[in-house]
Amino acid sequence: MIEIKHPKEQARLRRLALAAQGLLQAQPYGRGLAGARKAINHLGYVQIDTISVVERAHHHVFYSRVPQFEPAMTHQLLLNRDIFEYWAHAAAFLPIADFRFSLPYKHAIKSGQTHWYRTRDTKLMDELLARIRAEGPIRSRDIETNTTKRAGWWDWKPAKKALEQLYMEGDLMVSDRKGFQKAYDLTERVLPSHINSQMPSIEEFATHMVDQQLRCHGLVSLKGLTYQRRNADLRKAVKALVNERLAQRTLEQVQVSSGEVFLLAAGAFERSLPRLNSRMLILSPFDNSVIQRERLKALFQYDYRIECYVPAAKRQYGYFCLPLLYRDEFIGRMDCKAHRKTSHLEIKSLHLEPHHFDEDQVIAAFVDAITQFCHFQKCDSVSLTKVHPKHLTQRLHRALGILSSI
Protein backbone atom coordinates (compact mmCIF):
# COMPACT_ATOMS: atom_id res chain seq x y z
CA MET A 1 0.00 0.00 0.00
CA ILE A 2 1.34 3.41 -1.02
CA GLU A 3 0.60 6.14 1.52
CA ILE A 4 0.09 9.51 -0.11
CA LYS A 5 1.48 12.22 2.18
CA HIS A 6 3.53 14.67 0.16
CA PRO A 7 1.72 17.45 -1.81
CA LYS A 8 3.55 16.39 -4.98
CA GLU A 9 2.19 12.86 -4.58
CA GLN A 10 -1.32 14.24 -4.08
CA ALA A 11 -0.90 16.36 -7.21
CA ARG A 12 0.18 13.27 -9.16
CA LEU A 13 -2.98 11.43 -8.11
CA ARG A 14 -5.11 14.38 -9.21
CA ARG A 15 -3.39 14.48 -12.58
CA LEU A 16 -3.80 10.73 -13.00
CA ALA A 17 -7.55 11.03 -12.36
CA LEU A 18 -8.00 14.05 -14.64
CA ALA A 19 -5.93 12.55 -17.45
CA ALA A 20 -8.06 9.40 -17.36
CA GLN A 21 -11.14 11.62 -17.68
CA GLY A 22 -9.76 13.44 -20.71
CA LEU A 23 -9.62 16.78 -18.89
CA LEU A 24 -5.92 17.64 -19.14
CA GLN A 25 -5.34 17.61 -22.90
CA ALA A 26 -6.99 19.94 -25.38
CA GLN A 27 -8.29 17.15 -27.61
CA PRO A 28 -7.63 13.73 -26.07
CA TYR A 29 -10.21 12.01 -28.28
CA GLY A 30 -10.02 14.12 -31.43
CA ARG A 31 -12.58 16.60 -32.72
CA GLY A 32 -16.22 16.75 -33.74
CA LEU A 33 -18.38 13.66 -34.22
CA ALA A 34 -15.47 11.20 -34.34
CA GLY A 35 -14.07 12.70 -31.14
CA ALA A 36 -17.43 12.43 -29.40
CA ARG A 37 -17.70 8.77 -30.40
CA LYS A 38 -14.24 8.02 -29.05
CA ALA A 39 -14.96 10.01 -25.87
CA ILE A 40 -18.06 8.04 -24.86
CA ASN A 41 -16.37 4.74 -25.69
CA HIS A 42 -13.65 5.74 -23.23
CA LEU A 43 -15.90 7.21 -20.53
CA GLY A 44 -18.43 4.37 -20.60
CA TYR A 45 -21.51 6.57 -20.31
CA VAL A 46 -22.74 10.16 -20.47
CA GLN A 47 -25.58 11.08 -18.11
CA ILE A 48 -28.77 12.52 -19.57
CA ASP A 49 -30.42 15.33 -17.64
CA THR A 50 -33.43 17.57 -18.29
CA ILE A 51 -32.28 20.76 -16.52
CA SER A 52 -31.84 23.44 -19.17
CA VAL A 53 -30.68 26.64 -17.44
CA VAL A 54 -27.54 26.07 -19.50
CA GLU A 55 -26.91 23.55 -22.27
CA ARG A 56 -27.97 20.12 -21.02
CA ALA A 57 -25.55 17.88 -19.20
CA HIS A 58 -25.22 15.20 -21.90
CA HIS A 59 -24.00 17.85 -24.37
CA HIS A 60 -21.91 19.65 -21.75
CA VAL A 61 -19.87 16.51 -20.93
CA PHE A 62 -18.88 16.12 -24.59
CA TYR A 63 -18.17 19.86 -24.95
CA SER A 64 -15.68 19.72 -22.07
CA ARG A 65 -13.56 17.12 -23.87
CA VAL A 66 -14.18 17.40 -27.61
CA PRO A 67 -13.30 20.52 -29.63
CA GLN A 68 -15.83 21.41 -32.34
CA PHE A 69 -18.53 19.39 -30.62
CA GLU A 70 -22.07 20.51 -31.42
CA PRO A 71 -25.17 19.38 -29.46
CA ALA A 72 -26.72 17.89 -32.62
CA MET A 73 -23.88 15.35 -32.67
CA THR A 74 -25.35 13.48 -29.69
CA HIS A 75 -28.48 12.83 -31.75
CA GLN A 76 -26.34 11.79 -34.72
CA LEU A 77 -24.48 9.26 -32.57
CA LEU A 78 -27.85 7.80 -31.55
CA LEU A 79 -29.10 7.61 -35.16
CA ASN A 80 -25.79 6.07 -36.27
CA ARG A 81 -26.22 3.42 -33.54
CA ASP A 82 -22.87 4.35 -32.04
CA ILE A 83 -24.64 4.80 -28.71
CA PHE A 84 -27.85 3.62 -27.09
CA GLU A 85 -29.97 4.94 -24.31
CA TYR A 86 -30.52 3.12 -21.04
CA TRP A 87 -29.88 3.27 -17.31
CA ALA A 88 -26.39 3.43 -15.78
CA HIS A 89 -26.59 4.94 -12.27
CA ALA A 90 -29.09 7.30 -13.96
CA ALA A 91 -30.54 7.76 -17.44
CA ALA A 92 -27.59 7.77 -19.81
CA PHE A 93 -26.17 7.36 -23.28
CA LEU A 94 -23.88 4.33 -23.43
CA PRO A 95 -21.53 2.89 -26.10
CA ILE A 96 -23.42 0.44 -28.29
CA ALA A 97 -20.53 -2.03 -27.91
CA ASP A 98 -21.42 -2.29 -24.20
CA PHE A 99 -25.04 -3.25 -24.89
CA ARG A 100 -24.80 -6.72 -23.39
CA PHE A 101 -23.88 -5.26 -20.01
CA SER A 102 -27.30 -3.61 -19.82
CA LEU A 103 -28.94 -7.05 -19.94
CA PRO A 104 -28.54 -8.07 -16.27
CA TYR A 105 -30.56 -5.07 -15.05
CA LYS A 106 -33.19 -5.62 -17.75
CA HIS A 107 -33.48 -9.26 -16.75
CA ALA A 108 -33.77 -8.35 -13.06
CA ILE A 109 -36.69 -6.02 -13.82
CA LYS A 110 -38.40 -8.45 -16.18
CA SER A 111 -38.08 -11.38 -13.75
CA GLY A 112 -39.33 -9.36 -10.80
CA GLN A 113 -36.03 -9.47 -8.88
CA THR A 114 -36.23 -5.69 -8.84
CA HIS A 115 -38.94 -3.25 -9.83
CA TRP A 116 -39.25 -0.28 -12.12
CA TYR A 117 -42.96 0.12 -11.48
CA ARG A 118 -44.46 -1.93 -8.67
CA THR A 119 -47.31 -3.20 -10.82
CA ARG A 120 -47.09 -4.30 -14.46
CA ASP A 121 -50.05 -4.10 -16.83
CA THR A 122 -49.03 -7.10 -18.92
CA LYS A 123 -52.15 -6.90 -21.12
CA LEU A 124 -51.43 -3.31 -22.05
CA MET A 125 -47.74 -4.07 -22.55
CA ASP A 126 -48.63 -6.87 -24.98
CA GLU A 127 -50.99 -4.54 -26.84
CA LEU A 128 -48.30 -1.89 -27.17
CA LEU A 129 -45.74 -4.42 -28.42
CA ALA A 130 -48.21 -5.66 -31.03
CA ARG A 131 -48.92 -2.11 -32.18
CA ILE A 132 -45.22 -1.25 -32.48
CA ARG A 133 -44.52 -4.51 -34.29
CA ALA A 134 -47.25 -3.74 -36.80
CA GLU A 135 -47.00 0.06 -37.14
CA GLY A 136 -43.40 0.91 -36.31
CA PRO A 137 -41.82 3.20 -33.69
CA ILE A 138 -44.07 4.99 -31.23
CA ARG A 139 -43.58 8.13 -29.16
CA SER A 140 -45.03 8.49 -25.68
CA ARG A 141 -47.12 11.43 -26.86
CA ASP A 142 -48.66 9.23 -29.56
CA ILE A 143 -50.54 7.33 -26.87
CA GLU A 144 -51.59 10.33 -24.79
CA THR A 145 -55.24 11.29 -24.74
CA ASN A 146 -54.93 14.16 -22.28
CA THR A 147 -52.05 16.64 -22.57
CA THR A 148 -52.55 18.22 -19.15
CA LYS A 149 -49.20 18.56 -17.44
CA ARG A 150 -48.73 16.23 -14.51
CA ALA A 151 -46.72 16.56 -11.31
CA GLY A 152 -44.37 13.64 -11.89
CA TRP A 153 -43.89 10.12 -13.17
CA TRP A 154 -46.44 8.69 -10.73
CA ASP A 155 -49.17 10.52 -12.63
CA TRP A 156 -48.28 9.07 -16.00
CA LYS A 157 -51.13 7.33 -17.75
CA PRO A 158 -51.11 3.52 -17.72
CA ALA A 159 -50.06 3.35 -21.39
CA LYS A 160 -47.05 5.60 -20.81
CA LYS A 161 -46.02 3.52 -17.80
CA ALA A 162 -46.38 0.35 -19.85
CA LEU A 163 -44.18 1.83 -22.58
CA GLU A 164 -41.51 2.76 -20.04
CA GLN A 165 -41.71 -0.69 -18.46
CA LEU A 166 -41.15 -2.38 -21.83
CA TYR A 167 -38.13 -0.15 -22.38
CA MET A 168 -36.64 -0.91 -18.97
CA GLU A 169 -37.23 -4.65 -19.44
CA GLY A 170 -35.41 -4.53 -22.76
CA ASP A 171 -38.20 -5.32 -25.23
CA LEU A 172 -37.96 -1.78 -26.60
CA MET A 173 -35.10 0.61 -27.30
CA VAL A 174 -35.03 4.31 -28.01
CA SER A 175 -34.71 4.54 -31.79
CA ASP A 176 -34.81 8.34 -32.03
CA ARG A 177 -35.45 11.40 -29.91
CA LYS A 178 -36.39 15.01 -30.54
CA GLY A 179 -35.30 16.89 -27.43
CA PHE A 180 -36.87 14.84 -24.65
CA GLN A 181 -39.57 13.27 -26.81
CA LYS A 182 -38.36 9.70 -27.37
CA ALA A 183 -39.41 7.23 -30.04
CA TYR A 184 -39.44 3.54 -29.07
CA ASP A 185 -39.07 0.56 -31.37
CA LEU A 186 -38.53 -3.18 -30.98
CA THR A 187 -35.03 -3.96 -29.75
CA GLU A 188 -34.41 -6.37 -32.63
CA ARG A 189 -35.09 -3.55 -35.10
CA VAL A 190 -32.84 -1.01 -33.35
CA LEU A 191 -29.84 -3.05 -32.23
CA PRO A 192 -27.29 -3.57 -35.03
CA SER A 193 -26.91 -7.25 -35.94
CA HIS A 194 -23.16 -7.31 -35.23
CA ILE A 195 -23.55 -6.24 -31.60
CA ASN A 196 -23.08 -8.96 -28.99
CA SER A 197 -26.40 -9.47 -27.20
CA GLN A 198 -25.44 -12.47 -25.08
CA MET A 199 -26.12 -12.20 -21.36
CA PRO A 200 -22.74 -11.81 -19.59
CA SER A 201 -21.80 -14.08 -16.73
CA ILE A 202 -21.36 -12.37 -13.38
CA GLU A 203 -17.59 -12.77 -13.78
CA GLU A 204 -17.67 -11.13 -17.22
CA PHE A 205 -19.78 -8.30 -15.82
CA ALA A 206 -17.35 -7.77 -12.95
CA THR A 207 -14.37 -7.73 -15.32
CA HIS A 208 -16.13 -5.18 -17.52
CA MET A 209 -16.88 -2.92 -14.56
CA VAL A 210 -13.37 -3.03 -13.11
CA ASP A 211 -11.66 -2.47 -16.47
CA GLN A 212 -14.05 0.32 -17.45
CA GLN A 213 -13.73 2.20 -14.17
CA LEU A 214 -9.94 1.97 -14.11
CA ARG A 215 -9.82 3.16 -17.72
CA CYS A 216 -12.03 6.21 -17.28
CA HIS A 217 -11.08 7.20 -13.72
CA GLY A 218 -7.46 6.11 -13.39
CA LEU A 219 -7.96 5.20 -9.75
CA VAL A 220 -11.10 3.99 -7.99
CA SER A 221 -12.29 2.92 -4.57
CA LEU A 222 -13.86 -0.50 -4.11
CA LYS A 223 -17.17 1.26 -3.45
CA GLY A 224 -16.77 3.42 -6.53
CA LEU A 225 -16.31 0.41 -8.82
CA THR A 226 -20.00 -0.41 -8.44
CA TYR A 227 -21.25 3.15 -7.88
CA GLN A 228 -25.05 3.18 -7.41
CA ARG A 229 -25.38 -0.45 -8.51
CA ARG A 230 -27.38 -2.48 -6.02
CA ASN A 231 -26.58 -5.90 -7.47
CA ALA A 232 -25.16 -7.83 -4.49
CA ASP A 233 -23.76 -10.63 -6.68
CA LEU A 234 -21.97 -8.10 -8.88
CA ARG A 235 -20.43 -6.38 -5.86
CA LYS A 236 -19.25 -9.72 -4.51
CA ALA A 237 -17.74 -10.69 -7.88
CA VAL A 238 -16.02 -7.31 -8.20
CA LYS A 239 -14.50 -7.64 -4.74
CA ALA A 240 -13.24 -11.15 -5.56
CA LEU A 241 -11.72 -9.93 -8.83
CA VAL A 242 -10.02 -7.01 -7.09
CA ASN A 243 -8.53 -9.33 -4.46
CA GLU A 244 -7.32 -11.66 -7.20
CA ARG A 245 -5.63 -8.82 -9.09
CA LEU A 246 -4.07 -7.48 -5.91
CA ALA A 247 -2.64 -10.94 -5.20
CA GLN A 248 -1.32 -11.08 -8.79
CA ARG A 249 0.09 -7.57 -8.31
CA THR A 250 -1.61 -6.24 -11.44
CA LEU A 251 -3.43 -3.84 -9.13
CA GLU A 252 -2.01 -1.80 -6.27
CA GLN A 253 -3.50 0.40 -3.56
CA VAL A 254 -2.88 3.95 -2.43
CA GLN A 255 -4.21 5.60 0.71
CA VAL A 256 -4.90 9.33 0.73
CA SER A 257 -4.81 11.68 3.72
CA SER A 258 -8.51 11.19 4.46
CA GLY A 259 -7.84 7.48 4.97
CA GLU A 260 -9.71 6.40 1.83
CA VAL A 261 -8.05 3.66 -0.20
CA PHE A 262 -7.96 3.72 -3.99
CA LEU A 263 -7.04 1.03 -6.48
CA LEU A 264 -4.99 1.62 -9.61
CA ALA A 265 -3.16 -0.43 -12.19
CA ALA A 266 0.30 -1.51 -11.09
CA GLY A 267 2.83 1.09 -12.17
CA ALA A 268 0.20 3.73 -12.97
CA PHE A 269 1.39 6.03 -10.20
CA GLU A 270 4.83 6.34 -11.85
CA ARG A 271 3.49 6.61 -15.41
CA SER A 272 4.22 9.78 -17.39
CA LEU A 273 1.22 12.10 -17.53
CA PRO A 274 0.15 15.00 -19.76
CA ARG A 275 1.65 18.32 -18.74
CA LEU A 276 -0.58 20.85 -17.07
CA ASN A 277 -1.72 23.95 -18.88
CA SER A 278 -3.23 27.10 -17.43
CA ARG A 279 -6.76 26.72 -18.78
CA MET A 280 -9.99 26.63 -16.88
CA LEU A 281 -12.79 24.20 -17.58
CA ILE A 282 -16.41 24.92 -16.71
CA LEU A 283 -17.89 21.50 -16.01
CA SER A 284 -21.41 20.14 -15.70
CA PRO A 285 -22.67 19.14 -12.23
CA PHE A 286 -23.30 15.73 -13.83
CA ASP A 287 -19.85 15.43 -15.39
CA ASN A 288 -18.32 11.96 -15.01
CA SER A 289 -15.38 13.47 -13.14
CA VAL A 290 -17.47 15.00 -10.33
CA ILE A 291 -20.53 12.76 -10.03
CA GLN A 292 -18.98 10.61 -7.28
CA ARG A 293 -18.96 13.34 -4.62
CA GLU A 294 -17.10 11.38 -1.91
CA ARG A 295 -14.32 10.51 -4.36
CA LEU A 296 -14.16 14.14 -5.45
CA LYS A 297 -13.72 15.31 -1.87
CA ALA A 298 -11.10 12.67 -1.03
CA LEU A 299 -8.95 13.31 -4.12
CA PHE A 300 -9.43 17.04 -4.66
CA GLN A 301 -10.59 18.32 -1.25
CA TYR A 302 -13.54 19.80 -3.15
CA ASP A 303 -16.83 19.64 -1.26
CA TYR A 304 -19.49 19.85 -3.94
CA ARG A 305 -23.23 19.34 -4.10
CA ILE A 306 -25.84 20.37 -6.61
CA GLU A 307 -28.41 22.67 -5.02
CA CYS A 308 -31.27 22.64 -7.52
CA TYR A 309 -32.96 20.07 -5.25
CA VAL A 310 -32.38 22.24 -2.16
CA PRO A 311 -35.04 24.80 -1.08
CA ALA A 312 -34.04 28.25 -2.38
CA ALA A 313 -33.62 29.71 1.12
CA LYS A 314 -31.09 27.03 2.03
CA ARG A 315 -28.88 27.28 -1.06
CA GLN A 316 -25.31 28.36 -0.41
CA TYR A 317 -24.05 28.84 -3.95
CA GLY A 318 -27.09 28.83 -6.25
CA TYR A 319 -29.57 26.73 -8.19
CA PHE A 320 -27.23 25.05 -10.69
CA CYS A 321 -23.60 25.71 -9.81
CA LEU A 322 -21.01 24.56 -12.31
CA PRO A 323 -17.65 23.29 -10.98
CA LEU A 324 -14.58 25.25 -12.11
CA LEU A 325 -11.43 23.26 -12.80
CA TYR A 326 -8.17 25.22 -13.12
CA ARG A 327 -5.03 23.30 -14.01
CA ASP A 328 -5.41 20.25 -11.71
CA GLU A 329 -7.58 21.73 -8.95
CA PHE A 330 -11.23 22.59 -8.50
CA ILE A 331 -11.06 26.21 -7.41
CA GLY A 332 -14.66 27.41 -7.44
CA ARG A 333 -18.17 27.24 -8.83
CA MET A 334 -20.42 29.39 -10.97
CA ASP A 335 -24.20 29.73 -10.95
CA CYS A 336 -25.45 30.97 -14.30
CA LYS A 337 -28.37 30.95 -16.70
CA ALA A 338 -28.44 31.15 -20.50
CA HIS A 339 -31.23 33.49 -21.64
CA ARG A 340 -31.74 32.07 -25.11
CA LYS A 341 -34.25 34.64 -26.38
CA THR A 342 -31.75 37.44 -25.80
CA SER A 343 -28.58 35.34 -26.34
CA HIS A 344 -27.30 36.46 -22.96
CA LEU A 345 -25.37 34.50 -20.33
CA GLU A 346 -26.20 35.71 -16.84
CA ILE A 347 -23.62 34.76 -14.22
CA LYS A 348 -25.62 35.10 -11.05
CA SER A 349 -22.73 34.28 -8.77
CA LEU A 350 -19.09 33.34 -9.07
CA HIS A 351 -17.44 31.79 -6.04
CA LEU A 352 -13.67 31.29 -6.04
CA GLU A 353 -12.23 29.39 -3.12
CA PRO A 354 -8.89 30.20 -1.44
CA HIS A 355 -6.05 28.95 -3.63
CA HIS A 356 -2.35 29.49 -4.27
CA PHE A 357 -2.60 30.56 -7.90
CA ASP A 358 -1.86 34.03 -9.26
CA GLU A 359 -5.14 35.94 -9.36
CA ASP A 360 -4.44 37.62 -12.70
CA GLN A 361 -3.77 34.23 -14.31
CA VAL A 362 -6.97 32.78 -12.85
CA ILE A 363 -8.99 35.75 -14.11
CA ALA A 364 -7.47 35.45 -17.58
CA ALA A 365 -8.25 31.72 -17.66
CA PHE A 366 -11.81 32.41 -16.49
CA VAL A 367 -12.35 34.98 -19.25
CA ASP A 368 -11.06 32.54 -21.87
CA ALA A 369 -13.33 29.80 -20.51
CA ILE A 370 -16.37 32.11 -20.45
CA THR A 371 -15.71 33.24 -24.03
CA GLN A 372 -15.82 29.64 -25.24
CA PHE A 373 -18.71 28.77 -22.93
CA CYS A 374 -20.79 31.63 -24.36
CA HIS A 375 -20.27 30.26 -27.86
CA PHE A 376 -21.41 26.85 -26.64
CA GLN A 377 -24.53 28.43 -25.11
CA LYS A 378 -25.11 30.49 -28.29
CA CYS A 379 -24.84 33.65 -26.20
CA ASP A 380 -23.15 36.84 -27.42
CA SER A 381 -23.14 38.81 -24.17
CA VAL A 382 -22.43 38.08 -20.52
CA SER A 383 -23.07 39.75 -17.17
CA LEU A 384 -21.74 39.05 -13.67
CA THR A 385 -23.73 39.94 -10.58
CA LYS A 386 -22.12 38.54 -7.44
CA VAL A 387 -18.47 37.66 -6.81
CA HIS A 388 -16.74 35.97 -3.90
CA PRO A 389 -14.21 37.13 -2.80
CA LYS A 390 -15.58 40.65 -3.30
CA HIS A 391 -12.21 42.29 -3.96
CA LEU A 392 -12.12 40.55 -7.36
CA THR A 393 -15.40 42.12 -8.52
CA GLN A 394 -14.05 45.17 -10.34
CA ARG A 395 -11.18 43.28 -11.96
CA LEU A 396 -13.57 40.61 -13.24
CA HIS A 397 -16.02 43.23 -14.51
CA ARG A 398 -13.22 44.97 -16.43
CA ALA A 399 -11.97 41.67 -17.83
CA LEU A 400 -15.44 40.58 -18.88
CA GLY A 401 -16.13 43.94 -20.50
CA ILE A 402 -14.32 42.75 -23.63
CA LEU A 403 -17.09 40.16 -24.06
CA SER A 404 -19.83 42.64 -24.95
CA SER A 405 -19.83 41.18 -28.46
CA ILE A 406 -18.24 37.76 -28.52
Side-chain angles (χ1 to χ4, degrees):
M1 172 108 50
I2 304 171
E3 291 190 20
I4 304 299
K5 295 180 179 179
H6 195 277
K8 287 186 177 180
E9 294 175 329
Q10 294 170 2
R12 172 158 280 276
L13 277 189
R14 293 197 301 269
R15 287 176 62 196
L16 180 64
L18 293 171
Q21 275 288 303
L23 294 174
L24 287 187
Q25 295 170 287
Q27 46 178 321
Y29 311 112
R31 296 173 172 267
L33 186 65
R37 183 187 306 113
K38 191 173 180 181
I40 194 168
N41 285 337
H42 176 84
L43 294 171
Y45 80 96
V46 169
Q47 184 170 337
I48 300 169
D49 194 75
T50 60
I51 295 174
S52 60
V53 290
V54 293
E55 187 61 69
R56 288 183 172 91
H58 41 289
H59 303 314
H60 194 162
V61 170
F62 284 117
Y63 158 79
S64 298
R65 295 162 173 82
V66 183
Q68 298 177 0
F69 171 80
E70 296 290 339
M73 292 176 183
T74 308
H75 185 225
Q76 193 60 52
L77 289 171
L78 181 66
L79 294 181
N80 291 351
R81 305 299 182 240
D82 292 316
I83 60 175
F84 73 106
E85 193 169 326
Y86 195 61
W87 202 260
H89 69 268
F93 291 118
L94 301 109
I96 195 71
D98 291 348
F99 174 81
R100 66 190 296 239
F101 298 106
S102 70
L103 297 177
Y105 190 44
K106 291 171 180 174
H107 174 73
I109 295 173
K110 196 165 194 173
S111 64
Q113 296 173 38
T114 190
H115 298 285
W116 188 250
Y117 293 117
R118 287 282 173 186
T119 57
R120 301 164 73 250
D121 189 335
T122 54
K123 181 176 182 295
L124 185 52
M125 289 166 66
D126 289 343
E127 290 173 357
L128 278 169
L129 276 177
R131 176 177 169 181
I132 294 169
R133 186 170 286 110
E135 300 177 12
I138 194 171
R139 295 169 298 179
S140 55
R141 72 181 184 190
D142 293 334
I143 57 176
E144 291 177 354
T145 56
N146 180 350
T147 57
T148 302
K149 289 188 177 180
R150 302 289 182 155
W153 64 264
W154 54 87
D155 286 328
W156 285 6
K157 297 179 183 65
K160 197 169 182 182
K161 287 185 178 181
L163 194 65
E164 186 80 1
Q165 185 75 24
L166 286 166
Y167 163 69
M168 292 304 298
E169 291 185 7
D171 295 291
L172 300 179
M173 289 180 71
V174 175
S175 60
D176 194 6
R177 64 150 63 219
K178 297 291 189 294
F180 279 84
Q181 186 61 231
K182 295 180 282 192
Y184 298 89
D185 201 355
L186 302 178
T187 292
E188 59 262 32
R189 293 203 292 233
V190 178
L191 187 67
S193 58
H194 68 277
I195 296 300
N196 188 344
S197 59
Q198 183 178 4
M199 176 74 75
S201 67
I202 198 67
E203 291 78 18
E204 287 176 317
F205 198 4
T207 299
H208 169 73
M209 290 300 302
V210 171
D211 291 345
Q212 179 200 72
Q213 292 296 296
L214 286 170
R215 180 184 72 239
C216 71
H217 284 304
L219 63 157
V220 291
S221 66
L222 185 61
K223 181 180 179 181
L225 282 169
T226 53
Y227 177 70
Q228 294 288 3
R229 293 181 183 266
R230 296 175 177 83
N231 184 330
D233 290 338
L234 175 62
R235 289 182 176 182
K236 184 178 179 181
V238 163
K239 186 174 182 179
L241 179 60
V242 164
N243 287 336
E244 179 184 335
R245 291 188 179 183
L246 285 170
Q248 295 170 344
R249 298 187 179 179
T250 57
L251 277 184
E252 58 188 8
Q253 300 178 95
V254 296
Q255 186 174 45
V256 297
S257 57
S258 66
E260 188 154 2
V261 174
F262 290 93
L263 302 152
L264 64 165
F269 189 66
E270 292 79 24
R271 188 183 307 152
S272 62
L273 294 168
R275 292 163 65 176
L276 292 176
N277 56 57
S278 295
R279 67 170 181 161
M280 184 177 291
L281 291 177
I282 301 167
L283 299 179
S284 168
F286 300 105
D287 194 276
N288 301 49
S289 65
V290 302
I291 200 65
Q292 295 187 34
R293 312 298 194 208
E294 292 179 10
R295 177 183 188 275
L296 185 64
K297 189 173 182 179
L299 283 179
F300 294 90
Q301 292 75 56
Y302 184 63
D303 192 2
Y304 177 76
R305 69 183 296 200
I306 186 170
E307 297 184 319
C308 55
Y309 308 115
V310 175
K314 295 184 178 181
R315 290 176 193 147
Q316 184 178 1
Y317 300 108
Y319 176 78
F320 199 65
C321 275
L322 311 180
L324 302 178
L325 176 67
Y326 178 67
R327 293 177 66 84
D328 64 345
E329 296 183 38
F330 288 91
I331 66 165
R333 57 205 88 199
M334 175 181 75
D335 185 36
C336 59
K337 178 178 175 63
H339 297 273
R340 294 178 178 86
K341 289 184 179 180
T342 57
S343 301
H344 179 75
L345 181 69
E346 176 193 7
I347 305 175
K348 297 181 177 182
S349 69
L350 172 65
H351 183 97
L352 295 175
E353 298 175 4
H355 54 76
H356 54 84
F357 298 114
D358 180 86
E359 288 181 348
D360 289 334
Q361 291 180 354
V362 169
I363 289 172
F366 178 72
V367 172
D368 286 344
I370 284 293
T371 303
Q372 296 174 46
F373 194 67
C374 280
H375 284 302
F376 178 52
Q377 304 300 326
K378 294 182 169 55
C379 292
D380 53 26
S381 64
V382 64
S383 60
L384 173 60
T385 304
K386 184 179 178 182
V387 177
H388 177 84
K390 288 184 179 180
H391 76 268
L392 294 178
T393 302
Q394 291 302 319
R395 289 160 68 185
L396 280 160
H397 281 173
R398 285 195 298 270
L400 290 168
I402 63 171
L403 302 179
S404 56
S405 57
I406 297 175

